Amino acid sequence: MTAVSPRLRAGSPLMLGASLAALTIAGPAFAQDAAMPAPQAQAQAANPDPAATTDNSQVSNEIVVTAQFRAQNIQDTPLAITAVNAATMEAKSQTNLAQVADSAPNVTLKPQGASFGPSIAVSIRGIGQGDFNPAYEPGVGIYIDDVYYPQLTGAVFDLLDLDRVEILRGPQGTLSGRNSEGGSIKMFTKKPTGSGDGFVEGTYGSRQRIGMRAGVDFKLTDNLFARVSGVYKHQNGYVDQLDFGCVYPAGGPATFTANDGTTKQTNPTGGIPAIKANGACRVDKLGEVGYQAIRGALRYNPSNAVDINLTAEYIHDKHSAAGEVLAATAVIDNPNTNIGTNPPQYAGGSPGVPYDNRFICGKFCNFSSYSSPAIVYHGILAPNQPLLATQNNNTSVYDGYNLAANAHFALSDMFSIDNILAYQNWKSKFGVDDDLSPIPLSGGFNSLTHWNWSEEIRLNAELASNIHAVLGGYWFEQETDYFSYQDLRYINAAPGLGLFPLQFIQPDRTPAQAKAAFGNVNWEIVPGLTFDGGLRYTDEKKQYHYFRYNPDGVTINPYVDPVGAVAGAGAPGALTGLVARYHGNRWDYRAALNYRFSPEAMVYVSTATGFKGGGTNPRPFYASQAIAFAPEVLTNYEVGLKTDLFDRRLRFNVDAFYGKLKNAQVGVSVCPDGSTPCAALINGGNAREWGVEADFLARPIDGFSIDGSLSYLNFKYTKLAPGTTISLDEPFAGSPKWKWTLGAQFETDLGSFGSLTPRVDATYQDKIYSGFTYNTVPQFIDAYTLLNARLTWQNEDKDLSVSLEGTNLTNKYYYVTLFDLRAAGAGLDKAQPGRPREWAVTVKKTF
């Protein structure tokens, strides 16, 4: 492999084709009709088609999963796992991955705010990641058809033509590998069968919501099948972007609450000029939806012994920035007038407009401008320093395509091989206005280009009627090029020295590589008593190439890289030209013992490990801050009970877990060497967590079902590294202590008029520590409860349905994310409110 350049490997369709061709040629030589089909095909065959029955609750009760590389009923799998099929997702009006995660215990998956582009924050049992920067690893593995998606950008996947979703809680270090420390989320698409079936679906709803979905399955030859599906979604935003100068020509509202808590009159001097004409002050609607995707699948299945699936997918996601507001209960805290819209002058002259509470707009509006004027900076550290005018836009764009080849070959009744090859490529661009005001405080532009390819091969062996083993190897390579233009006009150098300008570009590169070998065994020791165990060795490498240029792209910026500006790129002590390298390896293990007392009850105990990969700080302000951080490791102990009671009319599962976290990766505002500002991730210490999770599904009578879940999470730091700014009593960021869901539906048979099914769902999320502290006070996202409902009519033939859905029926105002930079000196505290009450009508025709 060393003779092949990374760019040639990036063009991996050549390699994928060669590998697949070799397997295809070998396939017929060992094909046997009696051999087992691929685990995914087994699972899909076992999960009924929702169109084949009128009782969707019965469909949900019989889900077969492949979490352990073999098809198993979910109740026979010794894992804390939530699995939902297509019928359940449709009944709950779930159209993207975040909505499915809302229903799972101790799982948090939220779309990020505008500063993080089209990315997500995800955690399972509190373990995960919210920062999209490619230097960081996600902590929760996300997969589609067993193909790993390594980045948080673009990960709010639409549920296009899915067969099922499996959410595995707890470390999956042996089953899923690196970065599945908290758990893994696995989506499985519908495989072509040549059935000739298809569907067309249309949706219309609030704020001009328009949705279209369609899919068709067809036969090309007796053993070659194809499936094509697509989705189009558009909806206007729900947060108004307003022109401040148009709304307040005098410079602000008549009165506002100042930073000292007093009420002040607006000072008409130093007003902000209007961009829009008076009376037409709306610039745009933020929080827009604009998603399109198309997927094609080709399946060659001449016998049970040969099953080859090729898939290609293209995604185009273009919309206005996430809807955000300045937090209404916050105090904007940046009294320095040098950041104002008038030319700031630190030493004498006319000050600019201060950044204060006059820019708090309301529950669903902001005054973001995405522009900064050209000025001459008069700071002590930067006398007569010109700053360029910048003009960005509020649009977020993601374009990606994914190619995969999943091949299954049965060598004999005892052995089979699965080979999974994949190539992914995406680009994303988005502008940033962190301060949500016309003040040129903190803005910029981000552009990311990413590719990765991977290959995984598994040897499955039925060593005996009671022993199943899997041996495998995995190879992964990626590179993300991250171009960022930063215009930060709030950074204080030191007391008495005032602000200094940070206007620079950073075309950084992050290549990475990982390889692994693993094995898992399933051994039924005696009838009813089964052992599952696994071991995986992982070796990973990552580089970070730093560049800090002035906006001209040629000269080095002296404020973030003074050594480089004087001595040149690559000089000792220079940040520009520096290449930071990380290399790590480790072993992960899993052992689980389960005993089935009867067909109705099974209990299991397990221990497992997982880790989130290490790396180096991608946001150093000085070369000394380009510091490395080691992998974060979780060891988990778990006990669980799975039951099917009362003639399978009640399913109740419960588990309890205890986890030990080592080398926790935490962000700090003061680096270990004492330098500040600092935005580094370090290994901040150790922690422990424990919790309980329960879920149930009840069908007391035919057609009526009730389902729900409950989870509790308790987290505490037990040891902190020297220099860490957090405390042992600091709350854990990103996850609620309590979370519950409750839903019910009842299908009424109307005879020749079809059926009518009302459904109601409620979800509760406890308050969440945002990860930010202001004036020593931790900042929280408040708890909230949401209520959704859906009413579905289906005709007698079950091939036509009409649904009326409502979400957030009580019109609850709540925050999804909170981004507080007051402690960092920016003065801003902004939040992303959740979507208000919405309704929609959906018509679906199957054929």
Side-chain angles (χ1 to χ4, degrees), residues 682-761:
I682 68 170
N683 297 109
N686 301 335
R688 64 101 180 109
E689 66 172 5
W690 65 270
V692 293
E693 300 161 340
D695 62 78
F696 78 94
L697 171 64
R699 296 182 295 112
I701 59 175
D702 290 346
F704 179 48
S705 66
I706 308 173
D707 60 88
S709 66
L710 175 69
S711 61
Y712 173 78
L713 177 66
N714 186 291
F715 179 95
K716 186 175 178 59
Y717 290 103
T718 57
K719 179 183 178 181
L720 296 178
T724 303
T725 55
I726 62 176
S727 69
L728 288 174
D729 296 326
E730 181 163 327
F732 191 51
S735 295
K737 273 195 173 184
W738 289 98
K739 180 183 177 185
W740 59 258
T741 66
L742 184 63
Q745 70 179 50
F746 182 72
E747 182 177 0
T748 302
D749 188 353
L750 303 178
S752 60
F753 292 98
S755 63
L756 194 64
T757 305
R759 180 177 179 89
V760 179
D761 288 282

Side-chain angles (χ1 to χ4, degrees), residues 534-553:
L535 196 65
R536 179 185 288 251
Y537 174 78
T538 304
D539 184 277
E540 60 177 8
K541 299 177 182 178
K542 181 182 292 184
Q543 298 178 3
Y544 201 97
H545 297 248
Y546 297 95
F547 302 94
R548 297 295 184 269
Y549 291 116
N550 287 313
D552 60 15

Side-chain angles (χ1 to χ4, degrees), residues 183-201:
S184 59
I185 301 174
K186 297 188 174 184
M187 293 168 279
F188 295 93
T189 63
K190 294 180 179 178
K191 301 292 184 288
T193 62
S195 63
D197 295 341
F199 72 96
V200 177
E201 177 184 288

Side-chain angles (χ1 to χ4, degrees), residues 491-535:
I491 302 296
N492 278 290
L497 295 181
L499 305 173
F500 69 95
L502 277 185
Q503 194 177 69
F504 62 94
I505 63 173
Q506 51 180 70
D508 295 348
R509 294 176 49 239
T510 313
Q513 185 184 95
K515 52 189 175 182
F518 58 89
N520 285 273
V521 63
N522 173 271
W523 174 29
E524 188 178 19
I525 303 170
V526 296
L529 181 64
T530 303
F531 170 79
D532 289 276
L535 196 65

Side-chain angles (χ1 to χ4, degrees), residues 429-771:
K429 297 181 180 180
F430 57 96
V432 175
D433 180 30
D434 283 332
D435 51 276
L436 303 183
S437 81
I439 295 294
L441 176 68
S442 175
F445 171 78
N446 296 276
S447 176
L448 295 93
T449 302
H450 170 93
W451 61 262
N452 69 267
W453 72 267
S454 61
E455 180 167 10
E456 178 173 346
I457 188 166
R458 304 171 188 163
L459 175 65
N460 303 276
E462 292 285 351
L463 301 178
S465 60
N466 62 335
I467 302 177
H468 176 85
V470 178
L471 295 175
Y474 179 73
W475 181 273
F476 175 87
E477 187 164 352
Q478 72 170 5
E479 180 173 321
T480 308
D481 296 341
Y482 179 20
F483 175 92
S484 177
Y485 174 88
Q486 299 291 332
D487 191 353
L488 310 179
R489 305 189 183 188
Y490 67 86
I491 302 296
N492 278 290
L497 295 181
L499 305 173
F500 69 95
L502 277 185
Q503 194 177 69
F504 62 94
I505 63 173
Q506 51 180 70
D508 295 348
R509 294 176 49 239
T510 313
Q513 185 184 95
K515 52 189 175 182
F518 58 89
N520 285 273
V521 63
N522 173 271
W523 174 29
E524 188 178 19
I525 303 170
V526 296
L529 181 64
T530 303
F531 170 79
D532 289 276
L535 196 65
R536 179 185 288 251
Y537 174 78
T538 304
D539 184 277
E540 60 177 8
K541 299 177 182 178
K542 181 182 292 184
Q543 298 178 3
Y544 201 97
H545 297 248
Y546 297 95
F547 302 94
R548 297 295 184 269
Y549 291 116
N550 287 313
D552 60 15
V554 178
T555 59
I556 297 175
N557 187 285
Y559 302 106
V560 290
D561 190 7
V563 174
V566 174
L575 185 55
T576 302
L578 174 66
V579 180
R581 291 177 169 84
Y582 157 77
H583 183 197
N585 54 72
R586 64 167 277 106
W587 289 91
D588 281 302
Y589 65 86
R590 173 177 177 260
L593 195 66
N594 72 82
Y595 182 71
R596 180 161 289 284
F597 294 95
S598 68
E600 291 78 27
M602 184 264 279
V603 65
Y604 72 89
V605 293
S606 70
T607 179
T609 65
F611 78 98
K612 179 168 61 176
T616 56
N617 175 25
R619 299 187 179 103
F621 288 89
Y622 321 102
S624 62
Q625 294 182 347
I627 53 179
F629 53 89
E632 177 183 279
V633 179
L634 179 66
T635 302
N636 184 71
Y637 306 92
E638 185 169 316
V639 58
L641 171 68
K642 296 191 174 187
T643 65
D644 279 308
L645 307 173
F646 307 114
D647 196 24
R648 303 176 66 85
R649 288 193 175 273
L650 174 63
R651 169 168 294 175
F652 177 74
N653 298 334
V654 62
D655 65 81
F657 61 90
Y658 179 84
K660 297 170 65 176
L661 189 66
K662 184 178 180 181
N663 290 330
Q665 297 174 2
V666 298
V668 294
S669 56
V670 178
C671 280
D673 63 357
S675 61
T676 186
C678 175
L681 201 67
I682 68 170
N683 297 109
N686 301 335
R688 64 101 180 109
E689 66 172 5
W690 65 270
V692 293
E693 300 161 340
D695 62 78
F696 78 94
L697 171 64
R699 296 182 295 112
I701 59 175
D702 290 346
F704 179 48
S705 66
I706 308 173
D707 60 88
S709 66
L710 175 69
S711 61
Y712 173 78
L713 177 66
N714 186 291
F715 179 95
K716 186 175 178 59
Y717 290 103
T718 57
K719 179 183 178 181
L720 296 178
T724 303
T725 55
I726 62 176
S727 69
L728 288 174
D729 296 326
E730 181 163 327
F732 191 51
S735 295
K737 273 195 173 184
W738 289 98
K739 180 183 177 185
W740 59 258
T741 66
L742 184 63
Q745 70 179 50
F746 182 72
E747 182 177 0
T748 302
D749 188 353
L750 303 178
S752 60
F753 292 98
S755 63
L756 194 64
T757 305
R759 180 177 179 89
V760 179
D761 288 282
T763 61
Y764 170 80
Q765 177 180 287
D766 202 358
K767 68 177 183 179
I768 295 180
Y769 174 49
S770 66

Side-chain angles (χ1 to χ4, degrees), residues 764-819:
Y764 170 80
Q765 177 180 287
D766 202 358
K767 68 177 183 179
I768 295 180
Y769 174 49
S770 66
F772 299 98
T773 298
Y774 176 64
N775 286 343
T776 72
V777 179
Q779 304 298 297
F780 288 90
I781 297 175
D782 290 338
Y784 59 85
T785 302
L786 299 180
L787 185 65
N788 302 330
R790 183 182 178 102
L791 180 64
T792 301
W793 171 83
Q794 195 172 36
N795 70 348
E796 186 179 17
D797 293 334
K798 306 299 180 185
D799 60 0
L800 177 65
S801 65
V802 180
S803 301
L804 173 64
E805 69 178 67
T807 55
N808 191 8
L809 292 179
T810 62
N811 209 26
K812 175 70 175 179
Y813 186 78
Y814 64 101
Y815 289 154
V816 177
T817 60
L818 190 68
F819 191 46

